[in-house]
Amino acid sequence: MATTETPATPLSIGEVAEQTGLSVHALRFYEREGLLVGPVQRTSGGRRRYSALDVDWLLICVRLRESGMPLADLKRFAGLVRHGPGNETERLQLLEAHRQRIDAQIQALEECRSVITWKVSVYADHLARGKADGLWDPTA
């Protein structure tokens, strides 16, 4: 996953927040929790300056979190990546386990959608025929 723009100059925390959809507070949290793969550079005045690589990594983190990856797993994954070559098998296992959880969630949601689709058709049919009176009426 690559950023839409690959800036040659470092980005401010506000610019990174805009590109990633994370709040400034969340970016600080990610840094504090060790979720980044490298240290965030700082100006002589202490302001954070992010690289394109930082943004690319944060976009991956956003997707992993949005998909429900536990924070502990994301920390583990970031630590493995930060450590460098030699632990690719462990990274793969972590990602595979997460994908399996997502696959199970998708299956469960598809089953829910099927029930809802059936129920929508029941109500639509009854309403179209003018026979909705008493349809699942708990007071009847």
Side-chain angles (χ1 to χ4, degrees):
M1 176 179 273
T3 56
T4 54
E5 298 176 23
T6 307
T9 58
L11 299 168
S12 70
I13 195 168
E15 291 168 323
V16 173
E18 188 176 314
Q19 284 192 20
T20 62
L22 293 168
S23 68
V24 169
H25 176 75
L27 287 167
R28 289 183 184 124
F29 173 81
Y30 272 46
E31 182 180 359
R32 193 172 50 250
E33 292 296 314
L35 296 172
L36 301 176
V37 292
V40 174
Q41 301 302 311
R42 298 205 182 235
T43 66
S44 59
R47 294 187 178 270
R48 290 169 176 84
R49 302 304 288 172
Y50 294 85
S51 69
L53 181 63
D54 294 327
V55 174
D56 287 343
W57 175 255
L58 285 164
L59 290 170
I60 291 168
C61 290
V62 166
R63 289 294 180 232
L64 292 173
R65 288 294 291 148
E66 283 177 346
S67 65
M69 179 178 271
L71 193 55
D73 286 355
L74 185 55
K75 283 182 182 182
R76 179 74 182 134
F77 185 57
L80 291 168
V81 171
R82 196 170 35 251
H83 189 265
N87 58 29
E88 293 81 4
T89 299
E90 196 171 347
R91 293 184 215 177
L92 176 62
Q93 290 170 343
L94 194 150
L95 290 171
E96 273 291 334
H98 183 60
R99 185 173 64 181
Q100 288 173 2
R101 284 191 302 270
I102 290 172
D103 288 345
Q105 290 172 343
I106 290 170
Q107 177 64 35
L109 285 172
E110 287 174 347
E111 291 169 9
C112 292
R113 182 178 54 199
S114 177
V115 169
I116 293 166
T117 299
W118 166 72
K119 200 62 185 163
V120 164
S121 70
V122 168
Y123 274 83
D125 180 57
H126 278 77
L127 288 170
R129 290 186 292 121
K131 305 251 184 207
D133 290 345
L135 186 61
W136 285 80
D137 184 355
T139 62

